[in-house]
Amino acid sequence: MTYSVCAHAPDPTNVMELPKELPSRYDPSLYEKEIYSEWMESGDFTPPAEPTPGAETFTVMIPPPNVTGVLHMGHALDGTIQDIVVRHKRMQGYDTLWVPGTDHAGIATQAVVEKKIYAELGKTRDELGREAFLDEIWKWKDENGAIILEQFKALGCSCDWTRTHFTMDEGLTRAVRVAFVRLWEKDLVYRGARMVNWDCALQTAISDDEIENVPAKGKMWYIRYPLVGSEGFVTVATTRPETLLGDTGVAVHPDDERYQHLVGTTCRVPFVDREIPIVADDTVNPELGTGAVKITPGHDHNDYERGERHALPIINILEKDGTLNEEGGPFAGKSRELARKEIEAALEELGLLDRVEDIKNTQPISDRSKTVVEPLVSEQWFVKMEPLAQPAIAAVETGKLNFKPERWTKVYLDWLTNVRDWCISRQLWWGHRIPVWYDEDGVPCASVDDLELGSPHPQTGKPIVRQDDDVLDTWASSWLWPFATLGWPDDTADMRRFYPTQFLATARDIIYLWVARMVMAGYELLDHLPEAERNPFTTCYIHATVLDGKGKRMSKSAGNGIDPLEMVEQYGADAVRFCLISLTREGQDVKLSENRFEDGRRFTNKLWNAARFVCSNLEGERGAGTMAEARTFEDRWILSRLSAVIAETTTALNEYRFNDALTGLYRFTWNDFCDWYLELAKGRFTAGGDGADGVVVRGVLARVLTDLLKLLHPFIPFQTEVLWQVVHETLGEEPSSAILTSPWPHGVGIEVDAEAEARMDLLQELVRAVRNIRSVTMVGEKKPLVAMVNAPSESDRAILTELEAAARGIGFLESLEIAESSERPPSSAVGVAGGLEVFVTLGPEVDLDKLKVALDQRLAKTTKLMQGTEKKLGNASFVERADPEIVEGERARLVELGVELELLTRNLAGLSG
């Protein structure tokens, strides 16, 4: 692969031509689409058909996004993290597979298409009919379902697109049916009446992840229930007065002395004249409301459990559309909202309304219909979860499954320890229809294959009359994703080669909705494998949540989202990836504002210009870039730093510490390579070359740049691929492969050189001290200065004497005097770094009086800032509650301010004639 790097759009008929000099700025729009097309054509995203001798496999499964979805910043971060892992492992020589795909997203997709059909045809799905409606959804899916995967490509994701799957593909549909039938045969799936979340607008049960708890202004109604057999009332508080029509009990805490005399008695429900018991229950909070709570087992999750404990009957007061049914008494047929208003007025009239208070609470809102979700008891299909939970718990406890950050292990285990049976049925048409058929007497049977109507029931012999109308919860297909995408339930080559997988990156929101269920499915359904091989992934990496710049969660409704594709178009995919990872510390959420993408663009431009310099100086004979050839301390130093950064980056990536890896590479690239080594190396080039030294420095430059491009490739794949090709063409070589498949840097021939690093540390201390003086005195960055350095150590003086020319060159010094201990010259500025004290004589062009005024003002400002920072850090509440990163930042700032304060004070004291 070779790319044109001309400063205009590439000509697809002539991409081989390279100009002699790279453009001064990197324009990602000229290369990214072309590079991705070349990658796709090369087939390098697909692992070799036959296992590579001696190579291990490494498998990653993309969390399948909804077919209705478009890329948001959470997707972008998740995709970037996975791509970093996959590219790194591919370069390390693994046979790497990253399986992409999409989820059919039952409720979301059905809702989208229902709206489309009504807008275009003026028909509801019921008017259209089930089969015709499903045909319309498939048409919509075929037209729109791949959009989000194309957006992942724009980000640079190197998935094996030849293995793209959809949760309603033929193969996955068969896997879903096989899984259901196996659970049925083991009596792990059943139909029964249980509490579910009900969407009254869509008229289906929905899962917890399809609910958003929205802060709202609400009311608390205090209602009097007349006591039976005695005068008086028991007053209960509720936020949903209409549900009193389904009350079957009142609960108080057993230790609440106010109500102990009422436990065991009864009271009467207004309007329906139902006599209900007053019971003692430990879960009641005596401090909340009146301390007495109404029990509505049919319409509240907590009350359902209380009702079970006290054997209370369940009364459902709602129709599927949310209107009150016949149990609503005088309010039957009315909507929930209207019934609430009329019940309040009627209670007031009967003298049973004690008071109404304004409160702030949360409302469960359906993510799809945007209506209030109602808990209600409904006939649904369920999976028994407790037997499935035990192996999934053991997987973590035995170390077969590890969470990063580790704290998410608790979320996983807490849910599994207290797991409830899983409602797997949905009252929808789009999805995997439950593979259960009924005979004329309603006797069910489950089957992997369709049973024809009229055919004999396998057990009863009576004719089959219908299939169950419900479909399975979307998660009931995606929990099979790690192995169904590899061909299960068949014994396929992919299943044998690529299962189990090694790495999963996902969001915290679906640890129990998806992660835990995949682990359960692996242990339960892959019983043909040894138990040690059933766990679907070794590491589950829970990535950060991307927040806006103010720390608020991004959402469409809040209007604070940032479109990653717009950022890719504006800054380039590499800059977006760089920004997301550089801001993402392990375990901490990301505060993201659009201007942060400039950091990524600045870095890619820095790297681009470094490569321009290197490529412009590579002509001629060059060495191999090894320690054995290094002639100068800076050569040994940069090779030492390269050796260290290879080891550090490799370790960090192997441990999935992405921010640590990128931070180290950033510092090496920007500081070590660009700001120090390249500056020192510039003086070693002449127009015609400079003999043996030129051979060495060219070898070092080529070695450092090529290894650096490889190290950076997982993070910024597009630009590194461009520069990889450019460097090799400059060297007159044909690269053996794209950087995508080039071997990871090995560090052979280089090693950490402590002596070279100590010498460079000393030089850097001296130059930084000079730069601090320039900053304090506002002398120009490149104005030649006369400097003197006090170095008490004899060895330091010897090293500085040897490096004097380098110090003068990189520090822009007219002269440099090196002494053990000299008096500070008059009218001089001072800088301190490590054990060195540096004096710079201020020339006649510096107005000392004006400088004193400026330094006084700066001293006052710095003192004030330092006092403010000390006060903040002295506040125990701030230190305990603030983001740890912010606290550490304030501590570092305090140290910096202290150094600046000392420097300003010393300089003011010495400004005299």
Side-chain angles (χ1 to χ4, degrees):
M1 268 188 302
T2 306
Y3 308 102
S4 167
V5 289
C6 48
H8 52 76
D11 177 3
T13 65
N14 183 24
V15 297
M16 302 296 290
E17 181 181 353
L18 291 170
K20 292 183 178 179
E21 186 175 336
L22 293 175
S24 60
R25 290 181 66 82
Y26 174 62
D27 184 351
S29 68
L30 300 182
Y31 313 111
E32 289 186 349
K33 289 181 181 178
E34 179 188 348
I35 291 169
Y36 202 87
S37 295
E38 292 280 355
W39 283 335
M40 291 284 285
E41 290 172 14
S42 73
D44 288 336
F45 293 170
T46 301
E50 295 298 323
T52 303
E56 297 180 47
T57 60
F58 194 94
T59 311
V60 176
M61 297 286 174
I62 198 172
N66 290 352
V67 288
T68 57
V70 293
L71 202 71
H72 57 60
M73 277 300 172
H75 290 133
L77 175 59
D78 196 15
T80 298
I81 287 169
Q82 292 173 79
D83 196 46
I84 290 169
V85 171
V86 169
R87 287 178 184 271
H88 176 229
K89 293 301 179 183
R90 188 183 289 122
M91 295 173 77
Q92 284 186 315
Y94 288 81
D95 282 351
T96 304
L97 173 63
W98 184 11
V99 176
T102 50
D103 191 290
H104 65 276
I107 273 188
T109 307
Q110 179 161 315
V112 166
V113 178
E114 278 196 72
K115 289 179 183 177
K116 177 179 180 290
I117 289 172
Y118 192 79
E120 294 177 358
L121 305 177
K123 291 184 177 182
T124 66
R125 66 180 168 109
D126 293 307
E127 292 169 335
L128 202 62
R130 186 167 190 149
E131 294 308 314
F133 179 70
L134 290 176
D135 286 343
E136 290 296 323
I137 294 186
W138 277 108
K139 288 178 188 175
W140 182 92
K141 183 266 174 188
D142 291 341
E143 293 173 4
N144 302 280
I147 289 175
I148 193 165
L149 297 183
E150 291 300 313
Q151 293 171 335
F152 273 112
K153 292 178 183 178
L155 193 65
C157 293
S158 58
C159 304
D160 180 0
W161 301 107
T162 67
R163 284 177 167 88
T164 301
H165 288 280
F166 175 55
T167 52
M168 285 182 65
D169 283 346
E170 184 178 343
L172 270 78
T173 295
R174 180 167 173 267
V176 168
R177 286 194 168 191
V178 169
F180 185 95
V181 171
R182 287 195 185 179
L183 294 173
W184 169 280
E185 291 171 346
K186 295 181 72 172
D187 197 30
L188 290 172
V189 64
Y190 67 93
R191 186 168 174 83
R194 300 288 297 265
M195 177 69 68
V196 298
N197 303 310
W198 188 261
D199 185 319
C200 298
L202 298 175
Q203 296 187 34
T204 180
I206 62 175
S207 60
D208 291 340
D209 76 304
E210 292 162 328
I211 297 173
E212 184 179 2
N213 290 304
V214 178
K217 292 180 180 179
K219 294 182 182 296
M220 181 76 81
W221 285 266
Y222 291 79
I223 303 171
R224 301 185 182 110
Y225 285 26
L227 298 173
V228 175
S230 63
E231 296 293 324
F233 308 89
V234 59
T235 302
V236 300
T238 180
T239 59
R240 299 157 68 214
E242 67 279 5
T243 61
L244 69 81
L245 301 167
D247 286 356
T248 55
V250 169
V252 297
H253 194 279
D255 298 332
D256 193 334
E257 295 180 356
R258 295 172 296 175
Y259 300 114
Q260 285 177 339
H261 66 290
L262 294 179
V263 174
T265 66
T266 60
C267 58
R268 221 172 269 286
V269 179
F271 309 121
V272 292
D273 202 33
R274 183 184 306 122
E275 188 173 333
I276 59 175
I278 299 173
V279 299
D281 193 284
D282 289 331
T283 63
V284 176
N285 181 358
E287 306 299 322
L288 186 63
T290 64
V293 297
K294 57 197 277 309
I295 304 176
T296 319
H299 296 286
D300 183 275
H301 291 284
N302 292 327
D303 287 354
Y304 180 80
E305 294 179 358
R306 288 180 180 131
E308 280 191 326
R309 283 195 294 274
H310 300 286
L312 300 177
I314 296 171
I315 298 174
N316 176 27
I317 66 168
L318 294 177
E319 300 285 3
K320 290 182 179 180
D321 64 358
T323 57
L324 273 64
N325 61 22
E326 68 277 2
E327 295 289 352
F331 308 100
K334 301 181 187 299
S335 69
R336 293 167 290 172
E337 297 78 13
L338 180 58
R340 180 176 294 182
K341 290 180 182 178
E342 293 188 359
I343 285 172
E344 179 180 347
L347 289 170
E348 182 78 50
E349 186 176 339
L350 293 171
L352 297 179
L353 185 64
D354 184 84
R355 65 189 186 277
V356 181
E357 295 177 349
D358 291 327
I359 62 168
K360 291 181 179 179
N361 61 0
T362 58
Q363 285 190 327
I365 302 297
S366 168
D367 187 46
R368 302 305 170 191
S369 68
K370 306 304 180 186
T371 59
V372 176
V373 173
E374 285 291 343
L376 59 79
V377 173
S378 173
E379 282 278 337
Q380 301 287 343
W381 287 94
F382 294 87
V383 172
K384 295 177 183 177
M385 297 294 272
E386 191 171 345
L388 305 184
Q390 299 312 310
I393 292 171
V396 165
E397 292 179 340
T398 58
K400 292 184 178 69
L401 170 60
N402 298 285
F403 280 86
K404 288 187 71 71
E406 196 277 333
R407 71 172 185 273
W408 295 111
T409 303
K410 185 176 186 301
V411 174
Y412 172 90
L413 289 176
D414 283 352
W415 184 76
L416 285 172
T417 304
N418 302 287
V419 72
R420 299 176 180 177
D421 286 354
W422 172 19
C423 174
I424 58 169
S425 51
R426 297 291 181 267
Q427 289 63 55
L428 302 169
W429 288 352
W430 174 243
H432 296 281
R433 194 165 177 179
I434 291 177
V436 170
W437 284 260
Y438 301 88
D439 70 9
E440 59 191 13
D441 295 329
V443 178
C445 68
S447 173
V448 173
D449 300 315
D450 284 346
L451 299 182
E452 291 185 15
L453 299 184
S455 64
H457 189 287
Q459 282 83 46
T460 68
K462 294 184 178 182
I464 295 291
V465 297
R466 69 181 181 90
Q467 183 181 355
D468 199 287
D469 284 329
D470 290 351
V471 300
L472 289 167
D473 177 15
T474 294
W475 299 108
S477 53
S478 55
W479 77 323
L480 310 177
W481 188 252
F483 46 89
T485 52
L486 297 174
W488 183 89
D490 296 330
D491 181 22
T492 65
D494 271 4
M495 187 70 187
R496 292 191 298 272
R497 183 179 175 193
F498 294 109
Y499 189 90
T501 76
Q502 283 68 47
F503 179 80
L504 174 75
T506 191
R508 68 190 65 170
D509 305 348
I510 54 176
I511 290 174
Y512 59 89
L513 290 165
W514 189 47
V515 176
R517 287 170 178 164
M518 284 190 288
V519 179
M520 291 181 188
Y523 279 101
E524 175 60 33
L525 298 171
L526 303 183
D527 50 8
H528 65 290
L529 294 178
E531 187 171 327
E533 297 177 17
R534 296 183 200 174
N535 180 49
F537 31 80
T538 308
T539 298
C540 179
Y541 183 93
I542 304 300
H543 64 70
T545 298
V546 184
L547 310 173
D548 70 10
K550 297 179 181 178
K552 295 182 179 179
R553 197 172 185 122
M554 291 185 181
S555 68
K556 288 182 182 177
S557 57
N560 62 344
I562 299 174
D563 184 343
L565 292 178
E566 289 182 6
M567 299 301 100
V568 167
E569 187 174 338
Q570 185 173 347
Y571 298 96
D574 290 333
V576 171
R577 294 164 63 111
F578 177 94
C579 172
L580 289 173
I581 299 302
S582 66
L583 293 176
T584 306
R585 286 171 164 266
E586 184 178 310
Q588 296 179 21
D589 290 339
V590 181
K591 291 182 182 178
L592 182 65
S593 53
E594 187 173 329
N595 62 357
R596 297 307 299 268
F597 294 103
E598 284 288 353
D599 296 343
R601 179 151 62 188
R602 279 192 289 270
F603 180 77
T604 55
N605 276 321
K606 186 82 168 180
L607 178 64
W608 183 260
N609 283 314
R612 286 179 73 224
F613 172 79
V614 172
C615 288
S616 68
N617 288 284
L618 284 183
E619 289 185 11
E621 187 182 350
R622 65 186 180 281
T626 64
M627 285 293 192
E629 296 176 338
R631 295 171 63 88
T632 66
F633 93 94
E634 65 260 29
D635 290 340
R636 293 197 305 277
W637 171 75
I638 195 63
L639 292 175
S640 173
R641 292 294 304 121
L642 177 62
S643 177
V645 82
I646 288 173
E648 291 161 5
T649 304
T650 304
T651 299
L653 287 179
N654 285 340
E655 296 175 355
Y656 307 123
R657 292 184 288 108
F658 307 107
N659 178 270
D660 289 349
L662 184 57
T663 299
L665 286 171
Y666 172 87
R667 289 171 179 163
F668 176 81
T669 305
W670 197 289
N671 300 333
D672 297 345
F673 188 49
C674 295
D675 286 358
W676 290 98
Y677 183 73
L678 292 186
E679 290 301 316
L680 289 167
K682 283 178 182 177
R684 296 164 66 186
F685 290 104
T686 62
D690 49 352
D693 187 55
V695 172
V696 171
V697 73
R698 282 190 290 273
V700 171
L701 286 172
R703 170 69 183 270
V704 174
L705 182 58
T706 52
D707 276 5
L708 178 57
L709 291 176
K710 290 182 180 183
L711 294 170
L712 285 169
H713 177 71
F715 300 93
I716 51 173
F718 290 104
Q719 188 187 50
T720 51
E721 188 70 80
V722 174
L723 293 175
W724 177 256
Q725 303 297 330
V726 171
V727 169
H728 280 82
E729 179 138 341
T730 304
L731 294 173
E733 300 174 350
E734 182 67 33
S736 58
S737 68
I739 196 172
L740 174 80
T741 53
S742 64
W744 187 251
H746 43 65
V748 172
I750 59 175
E751 61 188 7
V752 173
D753 185 332
E755 181 184 353
E757 296 213 17
R759 292 162 76 85
M760 178 57 85
D761 286 345
L762 196 62
L763 176 64
Q764 289 176 335
E765 285 178 4
L766 169 60
V767 174
R768 287 188 184 116
V770 172
R771 289 173 178 172
N772 286 339
I773 291 172
R774 291 182 186 275
S775 173
V776 168
T777 59
M778 294 164 284
V779 173
E781 288 184 9
K782 296 184 178 181
K783 176 181 172 55
L785 298 175
V786 174
M788 179 176 70
V789 57
N790 280 337
S793 164
E794 183 178 351
S795 61
D796 284 353
R797 291 196 302 277
I799 292 171
L800 289 174
T801 300
E802 184 181 333
L803 302 181
E804 179 188 350
R808 284 192 288 105
I810 201 167
F812 298 98
L813 299 176
E814 183 179 313
S815 64
L816 175 64
E817 180 184 341
I818 301 165
E820 179 180 359
S821 178
S822 295
E823 292 293 324
R824 178 177 178 179
S827 300
S828 65
V830 63
V832 178
L836 305 179
E837 186 177 43
V838 179
F839 304 113
V840 169
T841 303
L842 300 175
E845 72 279 4
V846 177
D847 187 323
L848 296 183
D849 291 332
K850 285 185 178 180
L851 180 58
K852 286 179 183 177
V853 171
L855 293 182
D856 272 327
Q857 291 173 343
R858 216 166 137 185
L859 181 67
K861 182 179 179 181
T862 303
T863 302
K864 187 175 180 181
L865 288 171
M866 193 169 177
Q867 290 170 345
T869 305
E870 287 174 335
K871 184 177 180 181
K872 188 180 288 187
L873 290 170
N875 183 340
S877 178
F878 167 78
V879 174
E880 290 171 9
R881 297 181 183 179
D883 188 319
E885 185 178 359
I886 293 175
V887 175
E888 284 306 310
E890 290 294 324
R891 286 174 176 153
R893 186 166 180 253
L894 185 62
V895 172
E896 291 172 1
L897 289 169
V899 172
E900 184 177 352
L901 191 70
E902 181 184 0
L903 193 60
L904 288 166
T905 302
R906 290 189 65 179
N907 275 287
L908 274 167
L911 284 180
S912 58

